[in-house]
Amino acid sequence: MNERIPVILASASPRRQEMMVQMGVPFEVVPSLAPEDDVLGDGPQRVKILARRKAEEVLARMPGRLVLAADTLVSVEGQVLGKPADKAEACRMLKLLSGRVNQVATGVCLISPDGTVQEEVCLTDVEFASLNEDNIRRYVDTGEPMDKAGAYAVQGRAGAFVTRITGSPSNVVGMPMETVARFLENAGVKLFFKV
């Protein structure tokens, strides 16, 4: 594997892009066009299917490249929470998370030019403090929850709501860096590459 050839990141997520920069891996962004609304199952089942689907869709457009994809969902008490459609849904999600432990599941899929597939689902438990209606409304009014699974960003303002994280912190942000680093190294990509 030529480490100067950028990894294709099949995601437009600024958070995932920041993590790739932190790992020092040359990459280019090619967002997946794969459909996401037709996948059933619990959070871990869905994210595994979606990460693989996203990687395969981008690889079909960019054959012979190393493609990395991820998908993240939040689950609480058997309900899978994706990105809220509007402020009212964001408020409902945050009320559901209040005072409870939610599970963040991220599926990661890396497909090498030779067709080798590495995939894994990373699970992290996130415990929320009890939230009052005013804090929920004020947080939703910031706009931060609107493009986040589960309607919160642990690395942003919602960090004030989190009392404990059990598992990978980067997984909660949307991409478990330790898993991605292992996959990339298995594929021959060196981390902390100097450009």
Side-chain angles (χ1 to χ4, degrees):
M1 176 79 201
N2 183 341
E3 57 190 37
R4 290 189 180 272
I5 297 174
V7 174
I8 302 296
L9 178 62
S11 174
S13 164
R15 292 157 299 284
R16 291 186 181 125
Q17 294 171 36
E18 288 168 11
M19 287 187 265
M20 292 294 285
V21 169
Q22 288 174 353
M23 287 188 285
V25 177
F27 70 98
E28 64 183 88
V29 175
V30 180
S32 171
L33 305 174
E36 299 184 38
D37 296 334
D38 62 338
V39 178
L40 302 175
D42 64 14
Q45 292 167 334
R46 288 187 200 183
V47 296
K48 183 176 183 181
I49 293 166
L50 288 169
R52 176 86 172 247
R53 181 184 285 184
K54 289 176 178 181
E56 289 175 342
E57 189 279 327
V58 170
L59 184 64
R61 289 187 280 140
M62 307 203 62
R65 298 292 298 275
L66 184 64
V67 178
L68 173 66
D71 193 81
T72 301
L73 289 171
V74 172
S75 301
V76 62
E77 298 192 353
Q79 293 186 51
V80 177
L81 308 179
K83 297 174 183 175
D86 53 33
K87 286 185 173 186
E89 187 175 21
C91 287
R92 281 193 299 275
M93 287 182 180
L94 290 161
K95 285 176 190 171
L96 187 61
L97 297 174
S98 176
R100 294 183 175 97
V101 174
N102 66 84
Q103 184 179 69
V104 178
T106 300
V108 178
C109 182
L110 182 74
I111 304 180
S112 297
D114 67 1
T116 301
V117 176
Q118 298 179 73
E119 57 188 342
E120 193 170 302
V121 174
C122 185
L123 304 175
T124 304
D125 289 334
V126 180
E127 183 179 86
F128 263 56
S130 293
L131 309 177
N132 63 47
E133 298 266 346
D134 185 53
N135 279 342
I136 290 172
R137 182 188 51 76
R138 289 164 58 96
Y139 175 59
V140 170
D141 284 347
T142 69
E144 184 178 87
M146 300 317 297
D147 66 339
K148 313 293 188 300
Y152 73 92
V154 72
Q155 75 281 13
R157 294 176 175 100
F161 303 152
V162 175
T163 56
R164 184 176 60 215
I165 295 175
T166 306
S168 166
S170 60
N171 184 49
V172 184
V173 181
M175 192 169 72
M177 290 174 69
E178 61 286 350
T179 301
V180 172
R182 177 167 33 90
F183 284 6
L184 290 171
E185 289 183 338
N186 289 345
V189 176
K190 304 295 183 201
L191 302 183
F192 315 119
F193 184 74
K194 293 184 180 178
V195 183

